[in-house]
Amino acid sequence: MELFIFFKSQSKSNKCKFEFFKYQTIEHLSTSLKRGISDYHIDIKTYSKKEFNPLSLEKEGKILETLDLEDTIKESKLLEVYRNIIINNLLHDHLETDGDLELHFKKLLKINEATLPVFFYVIKDEGKVYFKKSSDNKLFMKNKYALILKRDEATEFKKENLMMLDMNFDFYINEDEIIMKSPFSFELILQYDHVYKKHKEDVVAKIKSVNVIKNFEGFESACNEAKYYRAFKKVVIDTDFKTSFSNQKFIKKLQKDTENKIKWDDKSKKVEIEDLHIKTVLHIFNGLIGIDIYDEIVTFNEKFKLPS
């Protein structure tokens, strides 16, 4: 069993600084930690499982969202670095790049060397790795002037830092899967907004290559708004984007219902889209909007929504 603490700068720039510390030994805590992990697994046995979906409305209730580990590592350089530190024990400074993102990791020899705020902590036990988002306020309580007494004797303990571990983990990783109790904390720890942005850029490049949107430059510019990034994550790179507009009954009805804000040009064989309906087009690309057997436009799964 091993315990890591990760620290991170609060900067929103593309240069992310991390510090990490691994405890040499936590044998004296192993019984308590194993009990906490056991209680956690007993609790989540009552949860249902589903694949992680960034657009899902079902964020409440007893639901665990899952992702394939290897697929996620391919998308997230940050997760790969975490795995190298935690699983592979590559306990040294790291400098990694992920597109335009720079990841700086510094190993701490002592925990009081930390210069950055606490970000999260990790417990590794029996092939599973448990993550919990935390903060300086939650993890380290500064008690420079406080006295801590034994309950049975008035014996003073001189400790400047107390540490509290919350065993209600946000997510954990086994050999092949990520299981999330808190997708929100998962996204923060993995900086998943960067994954969404990269995927959006790949999808837009593929759409450009098939030459199906008439006013592509306007479409591309509008898609640079961060509010669309999650929606793009549901669009598969290998989607046949031309086929998405091949049903003429669908296109004509779509044109009528949107009052020509989505419009098909017969001459160029391309679709023209006003910014207002970029969300609608993304719904079409990810298969959530189409035409039913009665030639009516329908939303196939109302459990998903695009950001307003």
Side-chain angles (χ1 to χ4, degrees):
M1 179 173 283
E2 297 173 342
L3 173 62
F4 297 79
I5 310 293
F6 283 81
F7 309 80
K8 178 181 175 292
S9 64
Q10 298 302 310
S11 171
K12 292 184 178 180
S13 71
N14 285 336
K15 293 184 178 181
C16 297
K17 292 185 178 180
F18 298 84
E19 297 171 343
F20 65 94
F21 174 78
K22 177 186 176 183
Y23 283 87
Q24 293 299 312
T25 178
I26 56 170
E27 291 305 314
H28 59 295
L29 292 175
S30 61
T31 300
S32 297
L33 293 178
K34 284 184 178 293
R35 186 184 305 117
I37 289 171
S38 175
D39 290 344
Y40 173 77
H41 280 285
I42 290 171
D43 176 50
I44 63 175
K45 278 184 179 179
T46 63
Y47 285 57
S48 59
K49 273 188 178 183
K50 70 171 188 176
E51 185 179 351
F52 173 66
N53 179 8
L55 299 179
S56 176
L57 293 178
E58 296 179 351
K59 294 298 184 186
E60 302 297 330
K62 293 189 171 185
I63 298 172
L64 298 175
E65 297 196 49
T66 65
L67 275 175
D68 181 85
L69 177 58
E70 293 303 322
D71 287 346
T72 308
I73 287 174
K74 290 176 185 176
E75 293 186 318
S76 172
K77 186 69 177 181
L78 185 53
L79 180 57
E80 183 182 359
V81 178
Y82 287 157
R83 182 165 75 165
N84 283 335
I85 293 172
I86 298 165
I87 301 297
N88 299 327
N89 283 314
L90 299 182
L91 304 177
H92 54 72
D93 294 356
H94 292 260
L95 172 58
E96 305 282 349
T97 57
D98 188 11
D100 60 351
L101 189 65
E102 285 189 10
L103 306 170
H104 299 257
F105 281 82
K106 180 181 178 182
K107 180 192 174 184
L108 304 178
L109 298 178
K110 296 181 180 179
I111 201 164
N112 60 11
E113 292 178 354
T115 62
L116 306 175
V118 174
F119 187 31
F120 66 96
Y121 55 86
V122 177
I123 297 172
K124 182 172 74 172
D125 181 54
E126 296 183 356
K128 294 185 177 66
V129 184
Y130 301 85
F131 292 74
K132 181 66 180 179
K133 177 79 175 66
S134 194
S135 68
D136 284 316
N137 289 334
K138 290 182 179 179
L139 187 58
F140 293 100
M141 298 173 287
K142 302 297 183 182
N143 284 275
K144 186 174 181 179
Y145 303 105
L147 298 178
I148 304 169
L149 306 179
K150 282 186 176 180
R151 295 182 65 180
D152 54 345
E153 303 175 28
T155 303
E156 180 180 344
F157 285 80
K158 294 182 179 179
K159 293 185 179 179
E160 291 188 3
N161 295 314
L162 296 179
M163 183 166 174
M164 180 180 68
L165 295 179
D166 183 347
M167 307 293 279
N168 185 25
F169 303 106
D170 296 318
F171 65 97
Y172 74 96
I173 298 176
N174 57 29
E175 291 181 355
D176 55 13
E177 194 176 34
I178 302 170
I179 300 97
M180 301 170 228
K181 191 174 184 181
S182 172
F184 176 74
S185 293
F186 165 82
E187 290 183 346
L188 287 177
I189 290 173
L190 267 295
Q191 296 192 205
Y192 229 60
D193 56 335
H194 186 69
V195 173
Y196 295 145
K197 180 183 178 183
K198 284 198 303 179
H199 186 80
K200 184 271 299 183
E201 291 169 351
D202 291 342
V203 171
V204 170
K206 177 67 180 297
I207 294 171
K208 182 179 181 179
S209 72
V210 300
N211 201 21
V212 71
I213 296 178
K214 186 176 180 180
N215 56 329
F216 180 79
E217 289 184 1
F219 172 82
E220 183 178 32
S221 176
C223 290
N224 285 331
E225 293 187 43
K227 67 180 181 180
Y228 293 124
Y229 293 175
R230 285 174 175 270
F232 271 99
K233 191 66 178 73
K234 292 301 295 178
V235 180
V236 178
I237 293 289
D238 294 334
T239 297
D240 186 340
F241 295 105
K242 282 193 173 181
T243 301
S244 299
F245 297 105
S246 62
N247 187 319
Q248 288 302 303
K249 286 184 178 180
F250 173 51
I251 291 299
K252 287 178 182 178
K253 183 160 179 56
L254 197 63
Q255 186 167 319
K256 178 182 177 183
D257 288 358
T258 63
E259 298 178 344
N260 290 325
K261 292 179 174 64
I262 297 177
K263 185 166 53 178
W264 181 257
D265 186 329
D266 277 324
K267 186 176 181 180
S268 64
K269 303 299 180 185
K270 297 178 185 178
V271 67
E272 194 169 349
I273 309 155
E274 291 190 17
D275 290 2
L276 176 67
H277 281 284
I278 285 175
K279 294 181 290 184
T280 306
V281 171
L282 292 177
H283 260 327
I284 294 168
F285 286 158
N286 63 33
L288 298 179
I289 290 179
I291 192 164
D292 65 9
I293 59 174
Y294 305 106
D295 292 330
E296 294 293 328
I297 291 176
V298 295
T299 301
F300 292 123
N301 192 336
E302 295 181 355
K303 293 180 181 179
F304 307 106
K305 71 172 183 178
L306 297 179
S308 58

